[in-house]
Amino acid sequence: MNRIVGVDTARGLAVLGMFVAHLGLERHVGFFTPTGWFFVADGRPSALFALLAGVGLAFMTRRGYPDDLVELRVQRTRIIKRSAILFVFGWFLTFLLTPVVVILPSYAFLFLLALPFLRLRPTAVLAWAAAAVLVTPQVVLLTRWALFSSPEPRFDLPPIGELLTGYYPALSWTAYLLVGLGVGRLPMQRIKVQVALICAGVSAAAVGYGAGYVLWSGLDDQNGLAASLTSVEAHSGTTFEMAGNIGVGLVVLGLCLLVTTQVKVLRVLLTPISATGAMSLTVYSLHIVYIRILGDDAVWYPQSNWPLIALILGTFVFATLWQLALGRGPLERLINRMIRPRQPQAHQQWPPAGLGAPAWSGAPTGPGGPGGQPAYAPVPVGGPYGPPSPGGPAAAGPYGQGQQFQAPHFGAPPPPGQPAQPQYGYPVQPRSGQAGPPQYGQAAPQQYGQAAPPQHGQAGPPQHGHQSQPAPAAPAGPTGPSPSGQQPPSGPPPVPTYPPAPPPR
């Protein structure tokens, strides 16, 4: 949980950086002045956003990683759906015609390009990210030079704009996503990993920005092809600028993880920022609408920082109250519902396969109403009153000790060795010319010229030439002898069968 708070805090800082980049007015040039640090928000917040999107992708697919192919297939489907939704919604925000380049359509392509890397180990993913940083920026920049004779980004129709010519070319920006995916596979809650992220970030930023600046400043023509491949300016898209942006992103992520996991007080104080990051899609979309209301001059020619301050404070209040009251942000909740996989419905057969099986789907419900216990509920092993104890009294049922109930057979034949039982309270009628079955405790009727067969525990009629012997006393059962001296049948009561399924309507 703490690592998620740290990721949300870093994402919240990225959101604030975008606010500053779009509405901030830099009145001072010193770094430690109130607005002198605004240059940090140029190009780096969007790169941090892409890196954290990779971390979120690792969280999203952690259940299937690395070998659960069924779960990974489900998550790939969710990612594809999410990409489609972000692409459509991103173009909707673009049609608001604000002077802000919406990053969401490029995000959609980034997620699709990351699908082949979901099963790779962190070392393999980071190796691919390093290769992408070294190769793909050259491909993008040289393609722009070949098409437009300039390295400047162009606003083209999809997918050319999202992949190559736009401000956020997904072909090269995949490196940011892969770095986040590899980092998200690591145990980020450990302090060693957090410190390693900070150290690696500082090294990458120093090497990237430092080497690029040295190479660029040594060129005679600082506006040509060589200069466009070594620049470290914001959104230049070179290998050196991307390496520096990755370093800054790792430092921010490592510090946020370290602070939120080790210092509980700071985690509470940073709640407005982490709440903003937890609903970054909602907040990002609302700030586009806010800029549309203010007008284009608020971006091109800002007069003060009060619109920026109002946006930050309003975002903090809205995000904090929403998270405390409702949790997940509104747009995040909506997209999660749209990409949620369908739950498979279990096939209900009739009749149930055995004891304890569920009733059929159309069975009427009991007192609990819909969703409650069916009227034809399954019977547990041993009948509704529990299995009897061998050689002893019957197990206690819902109505006390030793109470058993002989359930009727609804249309089912009697068990072997037992007489037929009444059907639905009506006695069994004998056929014409035949004697009916003997009732419990009664002797069978004597046929003409024949002696009635003896009952259990009684002596038969005296045969010719023999003297009748007295019948031995019937042994007392657990509940006493029956009136006729017979022992009641022992064993569990038969389980009632189910009526036929209702006809289809």
Side-chain angles (χ1 to χ4, degrees):
M1 180 60 69
N2 291 336
R3 66 176 181 178
I4 298 178
V5 173
V7 173
D8 288 340
T9 304
R11 192 180 289 114
L13 293 178
V15 172
L16 297 182
M18 282 194 170
F19 290 173
V20 173
H22 295 157
L23 295 175
L25 174 62
E26 187 176 356
R27 294 184 178 273
H28 308 86
V29 294
F31 182 79
F32 295 102
T33 58
T35 60
W37 57 272
F38 278 10
F39 77 93
V40 178
D42 293 335
R44 296 170 185 85
S46 54
L48 178 59
F49 247 132
L51 189 149
L52 295 175
V55 177
L57 203 61
F59 290 166
M60 186 177 179
T61 58
R62 66 184 181 274
R63 292 181 59 185
Y65 170 81
D67 297 326
D68 191 345
L69 300 182
V70 176
E71 180 65 24
L72 283 177
R73 190 181 300 116
V74 173
Q75 297 304 328
R76 286 191 180 98
T77 304
R78 294 183 64 202
I79 293 171
I80 294 173
K81 292 180 181 179
R82 185 182 183 89
S83 300
I85 296 172
L86 289 179
F87 181 80
V88 174
F89 188 66
W91 273 98
F92 170 76
L93 294 179
T94 301
F95 288 151
L96 295 180
L97 302 180
T98 61
V100 175
V101 180
V102 180
I103 197 175
L104 297 182
S106 296
Y107 261 31
F109 283 88
L110 285 178
F111 288 147
L112 296 179
L113 293 176
L115 291 178
F117 304 94
L118 296 180
R119 292 186 60 192
L120 299 183
R121 302 290 181 179
T123 53
V125 175
L126 294 177
W128 277 102
V133 171
L134 294 175
V135 176
T136 55
Q138 280 62 247
V139 174
V140 171
L141 293 174
L142 292 177
T143 301
R144 291 178 180 175
W145 272 100
L147 294 178
F148 313 119
S149 300
S150 172
E152 296 299 323
R154 299 288 184 91
F155 186 79
D156 290 329
L157 295 178
I160 302 299
E162 283 79 9
L163 289 175
L164 289 171
T165 63
Y167 279 85
Y168 311 108
L171 187 61
S172 59
W173 276 52
T174 307
Y176 295 134
L177 196 74
L178 293 181
V179 171
L181 180 61
V183 171
R185 301 294 191 199
L186 300 175
M188 295 187 298
Q189 70 276 11
R190 298 182 181 179
I191 189 172
K192 293 182 179 180
V193 176
Q194 299 163 3
V195 174
L197 290 177
I198 297 173
C199 296
V202 172
S203 302
V207 172
Y209 292 141
Y213 179 79
V214 170
L215 293 175
W216 177 83
S217 60
L219 297 174
D220 295 333
D221 183 9
Q222 296 182 346
N223 295 316
L225 176 60
S228 65
L229 296 176
T230 57
S231 175
V232 292
E233 293 294 326
H235 295 291
S236 61
T238 65
T239 294
F240 303 99
E241 190 240 352
M242 292 188 65
N245 291 345
I246 290 174
V248 173
L250 293 178
V251 171
V252 173
L253 178 59
L255 287 175
C256 291
L257 291 171
L258 186 64
V259 167
T260 55
T261 56
Q262 304 301 326
V263 186
K264 185 176 180 179
V265 176
L266 291 179
R267 182 168 70 247
V268 175
L269 294 178
L270 294 175
T271 296
I273 300 178
S274 61
T276 300
M279 56 183 70
S280 56
L281 178 61
T282 299
V283 172
Y284 176 84
S285 304
L286 290 178
H287 112 278
I288 297 293
V289 177
Y290 179 72
I291 291 176
R292 178 70 279 166
I293 296 175
L294 293 178
D296 295 351
D297 291 344
V299 177
W300 296 121
Y301 310 106
Q303 300 297 321
S304 68
N305 285 315
W306 283 112
L308 172 63
I309 297 173
L311 177 61
I312 293 176
L313 295 179
T315 299
F316 283 171
V317 173
F318 167 74
T320 303
L321 294 179
W322 184 284
Q323 187 183 62
L324 294 177
L326 300 174
R328 182 176 295 173
L331 288 182
E332 288 78 7
R333 187 189 302 265
L334 176 62
I335 291 182
N336 182 72
R337 183 175 301 175
M338 295 174 67
I339 68 175
R340 181 184 305 167
R342 295 182 178 180
Q343 298 295 333
Q345 296 182 356
H347 176 68
Q348 302 291 345
Q349 60 178 355
W350 176 260
L355 296 177
W360 83 99
S361 57
T365 58
Q373 183 179 2
Y376 301 98
V379 181
V381 177
Y385 305 100
S389 301
Y399 304 104
Q401 176 73 23
Q403 297 181 359
Q404 294 192 8
F405 173 73
Q406 184 72 20
H409 292 273
F410 299 112
Q418 294 186 12
Q421 301 296 326
Q423 303 291 330
Y424 294 93
Y426 294 95
V428 178
Q429 300 296 333
R431 296 183 180 180
S432 176
Q434 295 182 358
Q439 300 297 324
Y440 181 75
Q442 296 181 2
Q446 181 178 1
Q447 301 293 331
Y448 180 77
Q450 297 180 357
Q455 300 294 332
H456 178 74
Q458 296 181 359
Q463 303 295 330
H464 180 72
H466 295 274
Q467 185 177 0
S468 60
Q469 300 293 333
T479 57
S482 61
S484 60
Q486 296 180 349
Q487 176 69 22
S490 61
V495 180
T497 58
Y498 292 85
R505 296 182 178 179

